[in-house]
Amino acid sequence: MVHGPGDGAAHEPARRGGSGGRTVRPGDGAVMDRLDESSRRRRLDLGVGGDGSGHLSRVDGTISEDEWSRGTIAISVEELRRIPRVMLVAAGTNKQGSRLGAMRARLASDVVTDRPTAEGILRLAGETRTRTTHRAG
C-alpha cells in the first residue's frame, strides 16, 4: 500500500513536516504532492482529484495514466481489483474527491476515515451522480 505523509491529518489547514511544513492542498496524496506545480495543475485540469495506491484517479472513477503514473512503482489497477479486501485509509476534507474516485475505480473495498471526510464523500457522490443523471436524461 502506498500512502502519503499527512494521510492521518483530519483538520484543515493541516501542515506537513512539523513547523515549516507545507500546507495540505486539495488533491494531495502520495503521487500528487510530489509533482511540480505545472504538472500538478495539468492533472487537476484533466479532472484528477488525487491518487490511491499510486494511481491517479478522477472523481468519476476513471484512472489517469500518464508518464508519471506509468513510472510509479505500484500494484497494478487490475491486481488491486482482484484482491478481495483492500483498505483505503485517509482523513481530511482535502481527500474527498480523490477517495471517491478511488472507490468508484474499485481500487478499494473498505474505507476508514473520519466523519467530516465521510460526509463530504457522500455529499460529493450525490452531487456528481445528480450531474451525470441530468446530462444523460
Side-chain angles (χ1 to χ4, degrees):
M1 172 184 257
V2 176
H3 59 84
D7 275 351
H11 303 286
E12 291 184 41
R15 302 291 289 179
R16 293 193 183 173
S19 63
R22 61 183 193 79
T23 302
V24 175
R25 298 171 295 185
D28 273 354
V31 173
M32 291 289 281
D33 67 354
R34 286 166 176 77
L35 299 173
D36 63 57
E37 194 57 40
S38 66
S39 296
R40 181 186 176 80
R41 174 62 38 210
R42 184 167 57 89
R43 284 161 183 86
L44 291 172
D45 290 345
L46 293 172
V48 172
D51 63 90
S53 299
H55 300 285
L56 301 169
S57 62
R58 297 177 186 88
V59 173
D60 67 3
T62 57
I63 301 295
S64 176
E65 294 291 337
D66 64 10
E67 70 285 349
W68 207 97
S69 61
R70 284 189 293 275
T72 301
I73 299 171
I75 298 172
S76 74
V77 170
E78 295 76 23
E79 289 175 287
L80 276 171
R81 289 176 178 160
R82 285 194 300 264
I83 299 170
R85 189 160 217 183
V86 176
M87 302 295 290
L88 187 152
V89 181
T93 55
N94 61 309
K95 301 208 179 246
Q96 295 169 358
S98 63
R99 299 310 164 217
L100 177 57
M103 288 184 288
R104 285 179 169 167
R106 298 183 353 252
L107 299 180
S109 58
D110 299 273
V111 179
V112 178
T113 192
D114 61 353
R115 180 184 220 80
T117 304
E119 290 171 346
I121 290 169
L122 292 171
R123 188 173 37 258
L124 183 58
E127 291 170 5
T128 57
R129 185 176 302 120
T130 300
R131 282 195 300 260
T132 303
T133 303
H134 286 192
R135 271 189 250 145

